[in-house]
Amino acid sequence: MDNNTPSLEETQTNEEISENQTLKESQDQQEEQITSNKQDDQQLNSQSPQTRSRKGSYRQRSVSAASEKQEITTNINQLNRTKLTQLSDQMFHNFVDLLQGEMEAGFNELTLLEQMNKTISNKYEGLNQQSDEIRMDLQKMRQMYESLQTYFQQVDDIDRATIELATIVNYLDQYTKQLEIQLKPYL
């Protein structure tokens, strides 16, 4: 906020001071008028009847003072109405600013949520693509395993045959050793 611009509280305080001064001046004027009327009345009583008729009676002056007082009261009421109108307008403007701020904050939150949803959606889309690739790789590996299954069976058969052959070779080796031991004395 600009340092040269008075705040709301300072403006209200200045307005109140100004109105109070105006009211005090009006009251002072009324008191002076009443005092002046009383003095004039006293002077009239001490003067001749002709002078009295020129200056008017106390009653006429009090009627004029009452009308002035009513005029001052009307002016004060108008000042109060004006101030009330200004304060009401200011309150409504502040309330509108508050609502706009709240709505903007809500819109900002919605925008943030939308961005978060887009980010998460993109992340899950990437994960979904990766899982699809892994699933396809697994299917290929299964197909390869099934195609190699016959070869695995053949390898297992060869392994069994090799084990049987090794067993036979051992048996023959032992048999030849025994024959050699038996025939050694003859050779």
Side-chain angles (χ1 to χ4, degrees):
M1 191 173 211
D2 189 10
N3 291 337
N4 295 334
T5 306
S7 69
L8 177 64
E9 294 171 355
E10 291 174 350
T11 305
Q12 288 176 346
T13 305
N14 291 340
E15 288 175 1
E16 290 174 1
I17 290 171
S18 173
E19 287 180 23
N20 288 340
Q21 288 175 346
T22 305
L23 288 173
K24 186 169 181 166
E25 289 172 3
S26 299
Q27 288 174 349
D28 289 344
Q29 286 176 355
Q30 285 177 350
E31 289 175 6
E32 287 175 12
Q33 183 69 31
I34 290 171
T35 306
S36 169
N37 287 344
K38 286 182 183 178
Q39 289 174 353
D40 287 346
D41 236 8
Q42 288 173 355
Q43 286 178 357
L44 278 175
N45 287 336
S46 66
Q47 294 177 355
S48 66
Q50 293 172 348
T51 311
R52 278 189 219 157
S53 63
R54 270 189 280 144
K55 290 195 177 181
S57 69
Y58 175 74
R59 180 175 238 178
Q60 290 172 340
R61 285 192 305 270
S62 60
V63 167
S64 68
S67 67
E68 286 179 17
K69 184 177 182 181
Q70 185 177 8
E71 206 175 293
I72 290 171
T73 305
T74 305
N75 288 341
I76 291 171
N77 287 340
Q78 287 176 347
L79 285 173
N80 287 339
R81 283 188 199 125
T82 304
K83 181 177 180 182
L84 182 62
T85 303
Q86 289 172 347
L87 290 175
S88 297
D89 288 345
Q90 190 173 13
M91 180 190 71
F92 285 120
H93 287 297
N94 290 343
F95 185 70
V96 166
D97 290 343
L98 173 71
L99 286 178
Q100 286 176 343
E102 289 294 322
M103 289 175 66
E104 189 174 325
F107 288 139
N108 288 342
E109 288 177 5
L110 289 175
T111 304
L112 176 63
L113 284 174
E114 183 179 2
Q115 290 174 350
M116 287 172 61
N117 283 339
K118 285 180 182 178
T119 303
I120 290 172
S121 175
N122 291 339
K123 182 177 181 178
Y124 282 127
E125 190 174 307
L127 291 174
N128 190 23
Q129 289 175 352
Q130 287 178 351
S131 66
D132 286 344
E133 290 172 3
I134 290 171
R135 183 179 48 82
M136 293 175 89
D137 288 344
L138 282 173
Q139 285 178 349
K140 286 179 184 177
M141 292 176 100
R142 249 189 225 133
Q143 289 173 353
M144 289 174 68
Y145 179 77
E146 289 173 3
S147 68
L148 294 175
Q149 186 67 28
T150 56
Y151 297 115
F152 291 146
Q153 185 66 35
Q154 289 175 0
V155 168
D156 287 342
D157 291 343
I158 291 171
D159 186 45
R160 265 187 255 123
T162 306
I163 291 172
E164 286 176 14
L165 188 61
T167 306
I168 292 171
V169 167
N170 280 337
Y171 178 71
L172 282 174
D173 189 40
Q174 285 176 1
Y175 182 73
T176 54
K177 283 182 184 179
Q178 283 177 359
L179 271 176
E180 194 178 307
I181 292 174
Q182 286 175 359
L183 291 176
K184 200 172 193 182
Y186 299 108
L187 287 173

